[in-house]
Amino acid sequence: MTSDPGLRQRKKMRTRQALIESALRLFAEKGYDQTTVAEIAATADIATRTFFSYFDSKDDIVFFDDRSRLERAVEIIGERQPGEPVADLLRRVIDQSVFADTDSELARKVGPARTRLIASVPALQARELHLLFDIQLQLTEALHLACPELDLVEAAAAVGSLVGAIKVVVAACQKRGNRPEQTYKAVQRATDIAIDGLNSLPRPA
Amino acid sequence: MTSDPGLRQRKKMRTRQALIESALRLFAEKGYDQTTVAEIAATADIATRTFFSYFDSKDDIVFFDDRSRLERAVEIIGERQPGEPVADLLRRVIDQSVFADTDSELARKVGPARTRLIASVPALQARELHLLFDIQLQLTEALHLACPELDLVEAAAAVGSLVGAIKVVVAACQKRGNRPEQTYKAVQRATDIAIDGLNSLPRPA
DNA sequence: TGTAATTTTGCATTCATTGACGTTTTGCAT
DNA sequence: ATGCAAAACGTCAATGAATGCAAAATTACA
């Protein structure tokens, strides 16, 4: 299955790669809205029409490595040791898929720039949230399978609560311009709060 | 401030209303993608160009009452009794803003149809998630203000965890085609899980 | 009324996205 | 090697959302 790329596949991959690199470079240079699909295609030496057989939409290209991140996450969940607490399992998932550079060097290369790009373009924010949402649904299924003691609702709540806490905390940090250091600490705190529950929050003085 | 609408304002409101009704009716009849902005405008007897001075985009019109829902929520948070547990406060927010028909009869009228519509159109799902996300950021601020014992990260985690759990659970329920009855119960369960934390989940047998 | 402020509109334009259809490449079997 | 079928690509044309602009219409107010 993972054996023969074949000329066809190799060529497709190269084209795909070229499109991704062209797009991200142009977005960085001229901004997302100022870059047209036609330009991206031209820069990668591809017909405009063909762009859409590689990516469903202009914004999709920014999230080229989402699929592999998801696959990694599902894999981790599938390898759960029977009896391992759900909280521990999900902690590992967060660390090793969300905050790891899953998809080759390219992901690491564009990492921070991409983050800034997404934060600054509403259309990309929306796309990201939508993708993340789909991912959560799939994680829910995987978790439900790997943890027979959880019904579907419990699995969904677990995933939603953890991811939701982290996502909002990260956004709040970015909004106030925190350093990555601070943001990372905040993510840890968010994780703990999701795991220990809202009742673990400080009480009024 | 809330006194004189004036002819101008009244007219604008009527136009807005007309646009909303036309749009939702057409979406229901022919489907979202098959309905053009031009048709919506024509049905409401205004110029196509004018549509965009009432709504920023075609999908915005579906979420016409989001603003008032948010305002209601922020209001509730602002009225928090000092010493009231955060969990209790947020429970009330969920009940009275998310699951209440805030914006007049219109909201109630379109409720279920709109839910189905959003679920079936990817563009609307994305828009909804984006709006919901913004809402969460604003709730975070409001909560931080109303609860001095919470720092910003804690407030964000609280909101994110609760809303996240509910959102994913609702989606999971819809996906498997649960009845509203079932879904409502699931929301309660999701709320409890967010409040009590992932550690409150059933342990492996 | 007359004038300023605000809205509405028509028009042109840009650009993402899609469908139909013909052409080129590649994989594979003979 | 040769030929066929499928996969990929490209051309052309069309649709429809979204935006800028300036003229026309409407409303507010002195």
Side-chain angles (χ1 to χ4, degrees), chain A residues 136 156-166 190 193-195, chain B residues 157 160-162 164-166 168 193-194 198:
Chain A
Q136 290 182 78
V159 171
S161 150
L162 185 60
V163 175
I166 292 174
I193 292 174
I195 290 176
Chain B
S161 151
L162 185 60
I166 293 174
V168 175
I193 292 174
L198 300 195

Side-chain angles (χ1 to χ4, degrees), chain B residues 113-155:
Chain B
R114 174 165 61 173
T115 303
R116 255 176 288 124
L117 181 67
I118 296 172
S120 69
V121 180
L124 294 181
Q125 287 176 46
R127 189 85 185 96
E128 183 189 39
L129 289 167
H130 196 200
L131 286 169
L132 181 59
F133 188 65
D134 269 356
I135 289 173
Q136 290 181 80
L137 292 183
Q138 298 190 245
L139 292 184
T140 295
E141 268 189 56
L143 189 64
H144 178 45
L145 279 180
C147 304
E149 74 271 23
L150 300 183
D151 64 33
L152 195 60
V153 169
E154 289 166 338

Side-chain angles (χ1 to χ4, degrees), chain B residues 23-43:
Chain B
L24 293 180
R25 185 158 55 71
L26 288 172
F27 291 161
E29 285 172 5
K30 331 180 8 180
Y32 180 82
D33 289 322
Q34 288 66 45
T35 303
T36 69
V37 171
E39 284 177 295
I40 299 171
T43 305

Side-chain angles (χ1 to χ4, degrees), chain B residues 6-8 11 35-38 49 52 56-58:
Chain B
L7 176 55
R8 208 162 237 169
K11 213 168 182 178
T35 303
T36 69
V37 171
R49 185 65 181 81
F52 291 100
D56 287 340
S57 66
K58 180 181 171 186

Side-chain angles (χ1 to χ4, degrees), chain A residues 153, chain B residues 99 166 169-174 177-189:
Chain A
V153 170
Chain B
F99 292 126
I166 293 174
V169 163
V170 167
C173 283
Q174 288 187 331
N178 278 2
R179 310 206 151 286
E181 258 300 304
Q182 304 264 311
T183 302
Y184 184 72
K185 284 209 164 181
V187 169
Q188 299 303 115
R189 180 91 179 93

Side-chain angles (χ1 to χ4, degrees), chain A residues 65-82:
Chain A
D65 60 344
D66 263 36
R67 181 115 349 238
S68 52
R69 281 199 148 83
L70 170 62
E71 281 162 9
R72 180 93 185 84
V74 170
E75 199 179 6
I76 294 172
I77 292 178
E79 287 163 357
R80 176 212 190 197
Q81 304 304 318

Side-chain angles (χ1 to χ4, degrees), chain B residues 34-155:
Chain B
Q34 288 66 45
T35 303
T36 69
V37 171
E39 284 177 295
I40 299 171
T43 305
D45 257 305
I46 63 165
T48 303
R49 185 65 181 81
T50 307
F51 175 95
F52 291 100
S53 62
Y54 279 88
F55 300 95
D56 287 340
S57 66
K58 180 181 171 186
D59 36 49
D60 257 5
I61 201 171
V62 173
F63 305 97
F64 62 92
D65 61 343
D66 263 36
R67 180 115 350 237
S68 52
R69 280 198 150 83
L70 170 61
E71 281 162 10
R72 181 94 184 84
V74 170
E75 199 179 6
I76 294 173
I77 293 178
E79 288 163 357
R80 178 213 189 196
Q81 304 305 317
E84 180 182 18
V86 176
D88 293 1
L89 175 61
L90 290 182
R91 253 191 227 277
R92 259 188 309 133
V93 171
I94 299 293
D95 274 358
Q96 296 178 27
S97 63
V98 184
F99 292 126
D101 298 314
T102 318
D103 205 68
S104 74
E105 349 130 44
L106 192 53
R108 178 171 298 117
K109 193 165 141 197
V110 300
R114 174 165 61 173
T115 303
R116 255 176 288 124
L117 181 67
I118 296 172
S120 69
V121 180
L124 294 181
Q125 287 176 46
R127 189 85 185 96
E128 183 189 39
L129 289 167
H130 196 200
L131 286 169
L132 181 59
F133 188 65
D134 269 356
I135 289 173
Q136 290 181 80
L137 292 183
Q138 298 190 245
L139 292 184
T140 295
E141 268 189 56
L143 189 64
H144 178 45
L145 279 180
C147 304
E149 74 271 23
L150 300 183
D151 64 33
L152 195 60
V153 169
E154 289 166 338

